[in-house]
Amino acid sequence: MSTPIVRLAVFGQPVAHSLSPRIHRLFGEQLGIDVEYSAIESGVDELPDRLAAFRGSGGTGANLTVPLKQTGLKLCTRIDRPARQAHAVNTLRLADDGWHGYNTDGAGLLLDFDRLGIDPAGRRILIVGAGGAVAGILGPLLAREPACVHLINRTADRAERLAEKFSHLGTIDGAGFESDPGSDFDLLIQSTSAGHADALPPLERDWLADSAVAYDLNYGPAQATFSRWCGAHGLPVHDGLGMLVGQAALAFEIWTSRRPEMAPVLAALAGR
Ligand code: NDP
């Protein structure tokens, strides 16, 4: 007897270049689960109708990407703690009472940290940027008990408000680019979207310890400018492809109760 097809999709705008369909098909092949995963273009206003149509055609699980992660929250009957903390969902699962919402971005980053041997516990962490992705990672990151997290952002107010929102979970503060963040940071997380325009946030090597490492949430061409800066300053850097695959592996587990291996999928994507 053949197993039923698991019908999944990613919704976003733009979504045509998303790697998610390929990643989830590879997960399905790896675990012998028949997965149909499509990319569905949707703006904020269309999401309720598009999601209802997807459900009507047998869809049982979805990813939401830019600009739908906050809108999706309102369409859920239940949400998990990371989604509540981030005020955003990236994963939906159909349950008897409607869509349940999850945010696997932060846990996905930590899965990649584990793979790379980066342990945030007791570390001084500098995060550049204070957008939606940072909101998604702060809860799970602070749960690993870093010594401190300092956010700097082009719009100072956004970093200050985000730090304030998460201050009950650990030692965290936020400021603008013009501030001096201090020194001896062990881990630099680059989370701005500046690289999409070949731009680089203002950074100083002096802020970081000699043994520091950097992690860019971006991958592909959007990571090139920051990667060059790291190279010029002798700073080892990892890109965000592992986070993408990590958050996807956790979403796949939510839908199928099976956690796929990240390594073969990362290897396949590296040869893309
Ligand atoms: P947002 O639009 O919510 O935030 C963008 C952030 O980048 C803000 O902090 C913004 O600052 C800053 N920024 C944009 N342009 C510049 C610039 N020229 N100079 C300095 N700062 C700038 O985006 P997200 O937080 O959702 O995503 C951030 C990046 O992370 C994206 O490139 C995205 O592709 C990537 N990402 C990767 C994931 C993965 O799985 N690997 C998951 C999620 C995101 P300001 O507040 O001043 O506007």
Side-chain angles (χ1 to χ4, degrees):
M1 196 176 75
S2 64
T3 52
I5 293 174
V6 183
R7 197 152 281 157
L8 309 167
V10 56
F11 293 76
Q13 195 167 56
V15 81
H17 294 101
S18 170
L19 289 174
S20 294
R22 180 149 179 231
I23 292 171
H24 286 283
R25 278 179 213 134
L26 288 168
F27 285 161
E29 283 169 26
Q30 187 191 118
L31 294 173
I33 297 173
D34 204 352
V35 166
E36 181 192 279
Y37 191 111
S38 44
I40 300 176
E41 194 80 19
S42 171
V44 165
D45 294 341
E46 301 95 66
L47 184 62
D49 287 347
R50 295 270 150 87
L51 206 52
F54 173 64
R55 182 177 170 172
S57 70
T60 54
N63 286 129
L64 301 183
T65 185
V66 177
L68 305 174
K69 291 183 181 183
Q70 283 82 24
T71 313
L73 202 69
K74 298 177 203 139
L75 304 175
C76 295
T77 52
R78 285 179 63 178
I79 54 168
D80 74 348
R81 184 151 56 142
R84 200 162 40 249
Q85 287 171 337
H87 201 69
V89 288
N90 74 339
T91 301
L92 301 179
R93 179 180 67 84
L94 190 61
D96 290 343
D97 62 345
W99 294 104
H100 289 188
Y102 307 80
N103 192 316
T104 64
D105 279 337
L109 174 68
L110 291 171
L111 264 189
D112 202 33
F113 278 3
D114 293 344
R115 180 183 72 89
L116 295 166
I118 298 173
D119 182 2
R123 302 299 172 144
R124 287 171 54 76
I125 301 176
L126 179 63
I127 300 183
V128 188
V134 178
I137 66 176
L138 280 177
L141 188 64
L142 288 164
R144 291 280 187 101
E145 301 188 350
C148 67
V149 173
H150 186 75
L151 308 177
I152 53 169
N153 194 46
R154 181 175 61 182
T155 309
D157 176 54
R158 211 172 169 192
E160 287 161 10
R161 275 187 285 123
L162 203 54
E164 172 64 29
K165 187 176 165 202
F166 284 88
S167 58
H168 64 293
L169 296 177
T171 304
I172 175 166
D173 60 4
F177 282 160
E178 65 291 343
S179 69
D180 177 2
S183 57
D184 285 329
F185 288 98
D186 306 296
L187 175 61
L188 171 64
I189 301 178
Q190 200 304 109
S191 78
T192 77
S193 50
H196 288 283
D198 296 325
L200 186 68
L203 298 166
E204 301 282 344
R205 180 64 176 90
D206 292 351
W207 296 339
L208 307 167
D210 289 346
S211 58
V213 296
Y215 190 98
D216 193 345
L217 298 198
N218 295 280
Y219 46 86
Q223 203 249 340
T225 313
F226 179 65
S227 186
R228 273 196 299 277
W229 184 86
C230 291
H233 292 86
L235 190 64
V237 60
H238 304 283
D239 72 17
L241 199 57
M243 171 181 172
L244 182 76
V245 175
Q247 63 77 28
L250 294 166
F252 197 89
E253 186 178 11
I254 286 167
W255 297 321
T256 67
S257 303
R258 305 272 306 277
R259 167 95 60 94
E261 294 289 333
M262 291 169 61
V265 175
L266 278 168
L269 293 177
R272 85 193 126 120

